[in-house]
Amino acid sequence: MSEKKSGAPKHVAIIMDGNGRWAQRRGKPRLYGHHAGARRVRQIVEACPDLGVSHLTIFAFSTENWKRTQTEVAGLMSLFRRYIQREARDLFDAGVRVRFIGDRIKLDEKLVALMDELELMTSGNDKLHLTVALNYGGRDEVARATRRLAHEVAAGRLDPAKVDEQTLARFLDTHVLPDPDLVIRTSGEARISNFLLWQSAYAEYEFIDTLWPDFTPEVFGQVVSRFGARDRRFGGVKV
Ligand code: IPE
Ligand code: IPE
Ligand code: MG
């Protein structure tokens, strides 16, 4: 493994968008694009350690994506199941620790069992922390966190006067992760679509035109190296 570069984003989060359009341009069904997109994930995961990226979070399915046709939703769920089954061993061997964020309640039991199993199996790894956002929405996450926090208050275990930003952050799905330094969205859309709303308060953003299935490790490397030139001030001034 190469030496960690200074100025690399520690945590990169990616909104993997554009699978549908990629397929459409080839006259294929949308699921064909999702399969091509899934194949791309492995290369991006593999590229992280050499780029100095220790945490990668990828948006796979949003709380709003249930609005799609039943065929597309079922196809995606089956793709997630097969993906975990197919990739588990290689992820483990590559030293990747996998976590899932999002609400599992709406996901089918078989998929949740595979997710739990992969989290457990890779829990001793730390070469790369890969987090997959599945049935994830930033607002939904804050609402679920608030619900749990309210239960603690009602049970007398938490003093409302002591609730601050750190307290709320402890109830979020991402409580063990650092905030993202860089958020990338592919496909040319310049919006965040409910992704990591709380956590990205000071993230740098890159909106790039490439469709997700065309997002090569080379393009990824260029985006990551551009990050090094950014001047992050976090509300302060440079002295
Ligand atoms: C992103 O690609 C993958 C998911 C949202 C599951 P899209 O399916 O949104 O592709 P476009 O935006 O329609 O091209
Ligand atoms: C965001 O993409 C969700 C994922 C990439 C999983 P969408 O394609 O669902 O977002 P909108 O609908 O264009 O905002
Ligand atoms: Mg899209």
Side-chain angles (χ1 to χ4, degrees), residues 16-22 24 30 34 59-62 65 68 72 76 80 185 187 189 211:
M16 309 184 291
D17 197 18
N19 295 347
R21 277 163 284 174
W22 187 89
Q24 238 160 3
R30 296 179 57 84
H34 293 314
F59 204 2
F61 192 88
S62 78
N65 287 146
R68 299 187 178 198
E72 182 168 354
L76 280 165
F80 298 145
R185 182 175 188 142
S187 92
E189 311 294 351
L211 301 175

Side-chain angles (χ1 to χ4, degrees), residues 12-15 182-186 206 208 215 220 223-224:
V12 176
I14 308 182
I15 302 172
L182 172 65
V183 177
I184 302 169
R185 182 175 188 142
T186 58
E206 281 262 5
I208 63 161
F215 190 76
F220 183 42
V223 177
V224 166

Side-chain angles (χ1 to χ4, degrees), residues 78-96:
S78 139
L79 172 62
F80 298 145
R81 282 195 303 273
R82 276 191 287 158
Y83 189 84
I84 295 174
Q85 284 168 320
R86 203 173 56 221
E87 300 289 324
R89 172 49 59 180
D90 286 351
L91 286 165
F92 175 79
D93 289 343
V96 179

Side-chain angles (χ1 to χ4, degrees), residues 72-212:
E72 182 168 354
V73 170
L76 280 165
M77 293 301 150
S78 139
L79 172 62
F80 298 145
R81 282 195 303 273
R82 276 191 287 158
Y83 189 84
I84 295 174
Q85 284 168 320
R86 203 173 56 221
E87 300 289 324
R89 172 49 59 180
D90 286 351
L91 286 165
F92 175 79
D93 289 343
V96 179
R97 176 164 189 173
V98 185
R99 294 184 180 89
F100 292 91
I101 55 170
D103 193 356
R104 297 178 190 207
I105 212 91
K106 268 179 99 174
L107 301 173
D108 81 52
E109 270 175 42
K110 177 87 195 302
L111 175 59
V112 174
L114 289 165
M115 289 157 62
D116 288 340
E117 205 181 311
L118 184 59
E119 282 187 337
L120 187 67
M121 173 184 173
T122 61
S123 60
N125 288 345
D126 68 354
K127 187 163 174 190
L128 174 70
H129 294 261
L130 172 66
T131 302
V132 183
L134 226 170
N135 192 28
Y136 175 86
R139 288 184 170 183
D140 176 70
E141 180 191 32
V142 172
R144 284 186 289 105
T146 307
R147 208 181 302 144
R148 287 199 293 270
L149 190 152
H151 276 297
E152 292 301 296
V153 170
R157 288 190 290 265
L158 185 62
D159 176 0
K162 295 225 168 80
V163 175
D164 58 11
E165 292 182 16
Q166 279 71 38
T167 318
L168 183 55
R170 279 206 304 275
F171 287 87
L172 295 173
D173 297 349
T174 53
H175 61 100
V176 292
L177 303 174
D179 284 342
D181 301 296
L182 172 65
V183 177
I184 302 169
R185 182 175 188 142
T186 58
S187 92
E189 311 294 351
R191 56 175 171 260
I192 55 173
S193 303
N194 208 4
F195 189 45
L196 300 176
L197 297 181
W198 171 280
Q199 298 85 346
S200 299
Y202 269 102
E204 301 291 325
Y205 282 88
E206 281 262 5
F207 297 101
I208 63 161
D209 288 335
T210 312
L211 301 175
W212 174 252

